[in-house]
Amino acid sequence: MPTRRSVVIGVDSSTQSTKAAAVDADTGELLAVGRAPHTVTGSAGARESDPEEWWSALVTAVRAAVRDAGVPAGAVTGIAVAGQQHGLVTLGADSRPLRPALLWNDTRSAPQAAALAARLGGPAAWLERTGSVPVASMTAAKWQWLREHEPRRAEAVAGVRLPHDHLTERLTGIAVTDPGDASGTCWYGRGARAGEGTAGADRLRDVTGGSDGKVPAGAYDPGISAGSDGREPAGAYDPGILDLIGLDPALLPAVAPGGATRVGTLTAAAAEALGLPRTVVVAAGTGDNMAAAVGLGLGGAGLLDHPVVSLGTSGTVFAATRARPADPGLAGFAATDGTYLPLGCTLNCTLAVDRFATLLGLDREDASPGGSGGGGVVVLPYLDGERTPDLPHAAGLVTGLRHGTDPRSVLGAAYEGAAFTVLRALDHLLAACGLDPAAPDVRDRPLRLIGGGARGRTWTETVRRLSGRPLVVPAAEELVALGAAALAAGAVTGADPVALATAWGTGTGEILPAADRDEETWNRIAGVLSAATPTLLSTTVEEVGQGGRGEADVVEVDAASLADG
């Protein structure tokens, strides 16, 4: 093994686990992947994790990746973190978490999200200011929930971070984020002038600079932007929104120009924990969806306006584009390279379907289409409430059962309901990219299918059948971690990370031809969703029966009763 090989580490800190990919910086060869699990706690809409566990998992995963790659620690030149979006990490004066982080799929902040949307003047005002309308997932709503439910703890907060920000700060000692992950907070304003409300950059100079005002070696210099041609962030913190939610901008990290910005190098403590040299360069990093886009080669230096469907704990549909999105059904995110990343996200995807398989005593692949053997079963697997559509108090719903219903049809219907919920945002996504969804060249544009579900036969066939589109299934399995590795390589070399990932070929894979679109199943699910939303899906089970509020369970109803209203 040549000792001069340059290796970069891409970290994917997701909801359920941390994965660290050791990658050859020159060729993109995946040398090894280290893994460590996370714990998620909570019920009745609560979903929380201890950020200290994320750090321990990162250390374990990185050490395992370097060991299994068989390279000396001195070969590692760069590292970047991609993290689950939206989570609220609150730090005390000692820079350690004051409480468990509120995760993206914690729906307790739904009332705060609705109130915030109204206070700023409704969805149109939020779209103009931030590109997104507040829902329970967004960090602004979570901060507001904390202020209302735990005011003493909120008053003690000395720093507010996103998950990836927190881990980058543990690596470098520097509080910094990027436009991509920041755009998921609902307090990052894309319409603001570059630099407006970003006093964090000056604050870093004040804190880290010496008596001569210079930024010491290893500290983030906002004027240095490796791989980003020196541009300013494509937006800024919105002072008006921060005032609206009572969030002091001094609590927030500086916004680097992009995810491949060189933030600094490892602190002594981080280097010792990871078993790596202090000279390892740390990139700003980004959110997991933004990193996946980089890993696919999506962005200004790669593919634009090509839709992606990701099947994981959540289901997402997104694309990199130069068009400025403004659709209330989508999150108008920034990408990490200066383009936009409009995205539709659901809360219930692979884990929800796996739960149905467990309930039915079946293997996850023991599924048949929901319309077979039972006259048309429909499952809306909204076990955690739902984000898209915005139904935070929804419960799972099963309808259309008959004496002859095969359990495999029920499982197949769970797949269909989850896939339908993701795919119904596709036309909105294409329109947000400035495309006509009905145009033949757009209608036939393939979907890139990624995430854990992309490795499952039933998931792949369900998406083909309900979308009617050809699929590209990339051969690489760890696209978030690979995208983060490209950010790390960009920070080391100054190269554009999207161009690097394109040269590495991480987004290439098998092409599956289009199947005839299953209009009957699509329309059946759409009809049930429309009929159930005003009553069964807009409240929890206990609210329906008792006028109270409780945890969502699966609801079983008959299709005829729904049709009758």
Side-chain angles (χ1 to χ4, degrees):
M1 181 72 63
T3 58
R4 296 180 62 86
R5 170 180 249 173
S6 175
V7 175
V8 289
I9 306 293
V11 176
D12 172 10
S13 181
S14 69
T15 314
Q16 303 293 329
S17 67
T18 292
K19 289 173 278 189
V23 177
D24 186 302
D26 295 320
T27 66
E29 179 187 357
L30 180 61
L31 305 175
V33 179
R35 295 176 171 83
H38 300 167
T39 303
V40 178
T41 62
S43 60
R47 295 293 182 271
E48 299 182 348
S49 285
D50 181 1
E52 292 292 344
E53 188 179 43
W54 301 339
W55 172 249
S56 297
L58 184 150
V59 170
T60 299
V62 169
R63 280 185 168 272
V66 175
R67 180 195 67 227
D68 294 347
V71 297
V76 178
T77 57
I79 187 170
V81 177
Q84 55 177 305
Q85 288 189 253
H86 308 307
L88 176 66
V89 180
T90 50
L91 304 179
D94 60 354
S95 297
R96 291 295 181 263
L98 288 173
R99 72 178 313 284
L102 302 175
L103 303 186
W104 60 275
N105 54 351
D106 189 311
T107 59
R108 288 175 293 176
S109 54
Q112 287 74 28
L116 285 176
R119 287 177 62 192
L120 195 66
W126 282 95
L127 288 175
E128 178 61 26
R129 297 278 284 270
T130 72
S132 302
V133 179
V135 293
S137 299
M138 299 294 187
T139 324
K142 299 182 187 305
W143 172 252
Q144 194 73 354
W145 181 91
L146 188 72
R147 292 179 69 211
E148 294 178 14
H149 290 266
E150 301 178 9
R152 290 186 179 178
R153 193 168 271 160
E155 290 172 1
V157 170
V160 171
R161 305 287 185 265
L162 296 167
H164 117 263
D165 307 344
H166 175 60
L167 293 172
T168 302
E169 189 170 5
R170 290 294 295 265
L171 292 171
T172 63
I174 298 166
V176 64
T177 190
D178 87 300
D181 214 5
S183 67
T185 60
C186 266
W187 61 59
Y188 181 83
R190 64 181 185 176
R193 295 189 303 274
E196 180 182 342
T198 54
D202 294 331
R203 187 169 68 254
L204 280 176
R205 291 184 185 274
D206 293 339
V207 171
T208 62
S211 58
D212 58 0
K214 294 181 180 179
V215 178
Y220 168 56
D221 180 347
I224 298 174
S225 179
S228 66
D229 67 21
R231 64 177 180 268
E232 291 292 321
Y237 296 133
D238 188 309
I241 292 177
L242 293 179
D243 184 63
L244 180 71
I245 62 176
L247 180 56
D248 184 347
L251 302 181
L252 298 174
V255 184
T261 301
R262 175 176 175 153
V263 172
T265 57
L266 295 175
T267 66
E272 181 179 3
L274 298 173
L276 297 176
R278 287 201 63 187
T279 54
V280 172
V281 170
V282 183
T286 192
D288 53 3
N289 289 298
M290 293 77 194
V294 172
L296 287 165
L298 270 59
L303 292 171
L304 291 169
D305 306 322
H306 282 252
V308 177
V309 171
S310 176
L311 305 173
T313 303
S314 63
T316 59
V317 55
F318 61 87
T321 183
R322 295 196 187 279
R324 183 181 180 185
D327 186 315
L330 300 173
F333 294 148
T336 199
D337 73 333
T339 58
Y340 291 108
L341 197 76
L343 179 145
C345 179
T346 68
L347 293 184
N348 301 275
C349 197
T350 57
L351 288 184
V353 172
D354 285 350
R355 179 58 178 155
F356 269 88
T358 299
L359 289 170
L360 294 165
L362 299 172
D363 183 84
R364 64 179 59 169
E365 293 292 347
D366 292 339
S368 57
S372 65
V377 180
V378 171
V379 173
L380 299 177
Y382 300 164
L383 305 185
D384 284 323
E386 190 45 75
R387 168 175 170 175
T388 306
D390 185 18
L391 297 167
H393 300 304
L397 183 147
V398 181
T399 184
L401 299 181
R402 296 289 184 263
H403 285 289
T405 299
D406 187 327
R408 293 175 299 174
S409 296
V410 179
L411 180 57
Y415 277 96
E416 291 167 351
F420 166 89
T421 306
V422 178
L423 291 171
R424 70 195 294 267
L426 184 58
D427 284 353
H428 291 276
L429 173 72
L430 295 170
C433 293
L435 303 174
D436 177 4
D441 63 322
V442 177
R443 187 181 61 238
D444 297 334
R445 194 164 294 187
L447 294 176
R448 280 163 170 77
L449 191 66
I450 66 172
R455 305 298 155 187
R457 172 187 55 81
T458 304
W459 274 115
T460 301
E461 290 307 308
T462 302
V463 171
R464 282 184 71 214
R465 182 163 49 87
L466 291 183
S467 70
R469 291 174 176 269
L471 304 182
V472 176
V473 183
E477 296 187 16
E478 305 297 344
L479 284 163
V480 173
L482 288 168
L487 296 177
V492 172
T493 66
D496 186 293
V498 174
L500 277 173
T502 300
W504 291 351
T506 52
T508 60
E510 182 183 9
I511 300 176
L512 302 177
D516 291 337
R517 190 163 186 256
D518 187 346
E519 299 282 358
E520 179 183 353
T521 296
W522 183 278
N523 292 334
R524 185 171 67 250
I525 300 171
V528 170
L529 176 60
S530 177
T533 294
T535 53
L536 293 177
L537 296 179
S538 59
T539 57
T540 64
V541 174
E542 289 187 12
E543 283 178 305
V544 171
Q546 304 172 15
R549 178 165 293 180
E551 185 172 1
D553 297 306
V554 176
V555 180
E556 180 182 325
V557 296
D558 183 79
S561 65
L562 283 177
D564 292 339

